[in-house]
Amino acid sequence: MITKDLSIIREKLKQGELIGLPTETVYGLAANVFNSKAVASIFTTKNRPTTNPLIVHVASINQVRALVKRFPEKASLLAKHFWPGPLTMILPKNQVVSGLVTADNDHVAIRIPNHPTALSLLNQLDFPLVAPSANPFNRISPTTAEHVDAYFPSIYTLDGGPCSSGVESTIVGFEDDEVILLRHGAISMEILESQVGRLLNRTAASEHASLPGQHKKHYSPNCQLIVTYEPLFMLSAIKHKKVGILWYQSVPIESIYVEVNLVLAPSGDLAEAAQNLFSALHTLDKMGLDLIIVERLPAQGLGNTMNDRLDRAATQ
Ligand code: AMP
Ligand code: MG
């Protein structure tokens, strides 16, 4: 069910139920962080392993301070520049955060979302919300209320329009005086580095990957997906299949062997491509194709974030 009525959503959350939450990244499946039963039901509803920890969403820095033991200086600096926004910070938790939320880690992932509807809801609640993406485990992330409703029709989803970033938050941790990049996301590594200097890269693609819950397979459509710089070259090797191609900027040649061509960002703007990525995958996923071929994005800025998601969508 889709609603714009904040009072319904508030009531559901107070009763310990899950709701669909709009944010600027993707829609979340949200619950009261302090209600263990509600938190547990996030894992069962999504079919998500309990070893995969959840991100806590709050409305203010004061609410962050209530959940953590320490707030490193570099975290303050990042918060000043990027909160509210699509940056998640891993911080040492205090005893009010249960191990169920953090998969028994002594650190908790926290962010302040930059979405007016999410912020007004959070400001009206006296508890933060845990909210992983509102998709069954391994499936394509939702970027509209309708995507969430198609996955979970019996849950109330708060309609906040299409997500403006369209990909998940960037995740960073802290060690001594270093900032560690743990997941590529809606804020590019380059933009973060322009504010805090060099980051240590320990994302899934790096050999030092260390983040819990960084499953290789994720974001998958129902059919096979291939990511390549040369979609038409791949096509020539495949016969008798119903194929859709997702292009970055334009369609170079209209091949008669292609059922559907979609373009992510005619302007070439990577932010526009990120905004459209999951939505385009949902569209292709509904077409009953045998194969989706996606043109790999340039390996810079948000291109790295999208390539990370696509490589995981391509993992069988
Ligand atoms: P999702 O909400 O599905 O975008 O995923 C949240 C991701 O954040 C998890 O899969 C982990 O990779 C990361 N994460 C969340 N909480 C923690 C934590 N306490 N420590 C380290 N990583 C975390
Ligand atoms: Mg997710």
Side-chain angles (χ1 to χ4, degrees):
M1 287 154 300
I2 298 177
T3 181
K4 290 196 170 177
D5 188 343
L6 276 180
S7 62
I8 296 181
I9 296 291
R10 251 185 355 245
E11 263 331 288
K12 292 285 162 197
L13 287 167
K14 283 183 188 157
Q15 289 160 8
E17 290 188 29
L18 308 184
I19 60 102
L21 175 75
T23 80
E24 79 279 38
T25 57
V26 302
Y27 273 71
L29 189 63
N32 173 355
V33 69
F34 299 133
N35 182 329
S36 302
K37 245 184 159 167
V39 176
S41 84
I42 287 186
F43 290 98
T44 49
T45 304
K46 272 181 61 92
N47 199 17
R48 177 177 172 114
T50 50
T51 49
N52 194 349
L54 306 176
I55 297 174
V56 181
H57 293 68
V58 297
S60 70
I61 301 252
N62 282 341
Q63 291 185 349
V64 177
R65 292 192 192 278
L67 303 173
V68 303
K69 280 191 185 144
R70 277 188 316 281
F71 199 60
E73 208 175 300
K74 288 235 167 119
S76 288
L77 188 63
L78 285 169
K80 218 158 76 203
H81 283 289
F82 298 108
W83 276 357
L87 178 69
T88 296
M89 300 204 235
I90 309 284
L91 298 164
K93 78 173 190 76
N94 66 25
Q95 73 291 344
V96 304
V97 181
S98 99
L100 186 61
V101 170
T102 65
D104 282 333
N105 274 281
D106 55 6
H107 283 62
V108 58
I110 307 183
R111 81 179 189 98
I112 304 180
N114 187 16
H115 189 291
T117 318
L119 284 173
S120 22
L121 175 65
L122 285 165
N123 276 312
Q124 290 174 22
L125 298 170
D126 50 12
F127 47 81
L129 296 175
V130 272
S133 51
N135 49 296
F137 186 59
N138 281 343
R139 300 292 305 283
I140 303 168
S141 302
T143 56
T144 63
E146 289 74 21
H147 292 157
V148 182
D149 200 53
Y151 283 140
F152 304 114
S154 62
I155 287 173
Y156 274 96
T157 296
L158 180 59
D159 191 357
C163 301
S164 57
S165 291
V167 288
E168 289 82 354
S169 59
T170 305
I171 303 183
V172 296
F174 304 90
E175 259 172 38
D176 304 321
D177 203 31
E178 306 276 9
V179 182
I180 325 276
L181 180 69
L182 295 165
R183 177 174 78 179
H184 288 293
I187 301 177
S188 71
M189 181 168 179
E190 292 88 331
I191 299 277
L192 286 177
E193 288 190 325
S194 72
Q195 296 303 333
V196 286
R198 275 211 84 80
L199 307 183
L200 294 185
N201 185 352
R202 283 194 214 149
T203 56
S206 85
E207 53 188 311
H208 305 290
S210 61
L211 195 58
Q214 279 285 30
H215 295 261
K216 211 162 156 21
K217 178 179 157 67
H218 205 148
Y219 315 105
S220 306
N222 287 312
C223 68
Q224 192 193 355
L225 183 145
I226 293 174
V227 199
T228 170
Y229 282 117
E230 295 290 348
L232 291 176
F233 179 76
M234 287 308 299
L235 188 68
S236 63
I238 294 153
K239 295 267 150 57
H240 313 302
K241 281 198 171 178
K242 213 172 150 187
V243 178
I245 303 187
L246 182 54
W247 298 93
Y248 165 36
Q249 258 188 286
S250 58
V251 184
I253 300 166
E254 293 269 0
S255 165
I256 53 159
Y257 299 108
V258 177
E259 182 88 10
V260 53
N261 287 291
L262 292 184
V263 173
L264 277 177
S267 66
D269 179 10
L270 288 171
E272 184 190 351
Q275 194 179 36
N276 294 331
L277 179 69
F278 286 131
S279 209
L281 289 176
H282 277 287
T283 302
L284 292 169
D285 201 23
K286 279 192 287 217
M287 296 187 66
L289 301 167
D290 300 314
L291 173 67
I292 298 171
I293 304 179
V294 187
E295 183 177 7
R296 186 175 288 283
L297 291 135
Q300 64 185 55
L302 292 179
N304 287 323
T305 302
M306 288 182 272
N307 289 337
D308 165 78
R309 304 303 189 266
L310 289 167
D311 283 331
R312 285 194 250 180
T315 301
Q316 296 286 309

